[in-house]
Amino acid sequence: MQSEDEEFPIEVIALSDFTGNGSDQLAFANGDRLLVHAKPSSDWWWAELSGVIGYIPASHVCPGGATEEDTSMPDPWQDEEYFDSYGTLKLHLEMLADRSRTEAYRQVIISNSASLKDKVMMDLGCGTGIISLFCAQLAQPSMVYAVEASSMAEYTKKLVKQNNCEEVVSVLQGRAEEIELPGQVDVLVSEWMGNCLLFEFMVESVLLARDRWLKEGGVMWPSSAALTLVPCQADSYFSEKMHFWERPYGLDFTPLQSLAQQEFFTKPKFSYLIDPTDCLSTPCDVIQLDMYTLQVKDLEEMHGHFQFWIDRSGTFHGFTAWFNVDFKSMEPGGTAVQLDTGPHSEPTHWKQTLFMSDRPVSVHEGDSISGSIVLHRNPVWRRHMTVSLHWNINSSSKDASSCQAGTKSFPMWR
Ligand code: 6LC
């Protein structure tokens, strides 16, 4: 948002190319110097390039500075901000209080306790150390390296001592990419999943640690992960943000609807709890990750396809996404533990993510929705991504079979 002490215009430098939509957005190329005249929102700024004026996405530019020599670039990983946030208790409380999540990891340790005997483990991004402490208390690994980059690690050391686990758990403060261990590990466990599975891209740190520190034949927990999608109805959310403008206090506020659409439906809605009855079809896994074979470069663009059969008539407002992960068993004949963050399981702190389309469409039992999803990692801001959805609604009605296409890209968050 516009801060009062900013003096316009401000010079900024483009970090990547931007095409613009031709109407009110300004196209520019990587390295262009633009003048920002106003910041009407935190995401879209009003700017000028060679005498042409238009909106630019704030995420594609960085402060210009007055001189050519000023090359200070922002950190594309935003690590300072990221690890600062994990240095306070707010997020750790949210994660620890999430019983489905925390109990799933505890169950993995309990059900593999025999196999964990004398194993060397790494807990990547251990936070307050809960998973490492479970390992020390419920199994007998020879060593658990608890790796944590934020300042929480100082407290984690105290918690390990307080719970008499210091002989087994060794807390290493630092980024997993930079720490040194005496040798490789048998098991790499981590809770790295973000919204829509990949947001934050902590998974990259896990893959790099796997390639450097996991023994040949070692175990990855989670072992696989999947992003799940379902076409859905979102009546109350739609009414709350769109119908509202139709007749507030007896007045016609509909000229605000396109603004409302832009403001409320451009980005996905995080922390959405979908009512299972709002699922218009059986959910389907659209992207699957094998944590043994996944490569960092695969994360740049992940593609998935879907075909949903509508099994209840209603209004199609968009799609809801969530994820599940599997922890394969190390025990002979043992079964995998699963953590499912969908609407048919206990809610987790991730909840679900709602992607609103721009136009509600009536759908009927027997119709189908086919299409594709692409998760495109932001080339500049490495913890962010854009989710693009393309879909065709194929109506099966007796009188006229028809097909309606839709497409929309959702930045998360940049
Ligand atoms: C877990 C995030 C925790 O992992 C949090 O405490 C953060 O500081 C730590 N972390 C993240 N990346 C690294 C890294 N490369 N090296 C060391 N510690 C790291 C929950 N976040 C999600 N599940 N998204």
Side-chain angles (χ1 to χ4, degrees), residues 82-83 86 92 95 124-127 147-150 174-177 191-194 199-200 202 205 350:
Y82 182 75
F83 290 122
Y86 283 114
H92 294 289
M95 294 187 286
L124 195 161
C126 69
V147 181
E148 173 56 47
S150 77
R175 299 182 78 238
E177 290 84 339
E191 192 278 84
W192 51 263
M193 300 79 72
F199 186 65
E200 288 176 47
M202 183 176 162
S205 307
W350 290 282

Side-chain angles (χ1 to χ4, degrees), residues 73-112:
M73 290 288 274
D75 168 18
W77 284 87
Q78 301 162 289
D79 270 356
E80 198 174 309
E81 186 185 338
Y82 182 75
F83 290 122
D84 278 357
S85 72
Y86 283 114
T88 63
L89 276 183
K90 184 173 175 269
L91 295 174
H92 294 289
L93 177 59
E94 190 183 11
M95 294 187 286
L96 291 171
D98 178 344
R99 293 197 74 83
S100 315
R101 161 201 182 266
T102 309
E103 289 291 356
Y105 279 84
R106 185 155 79 144
Q107 195 51 50
V108 173
I109 308 305
I110 291 174
S111 58
N112 287 280

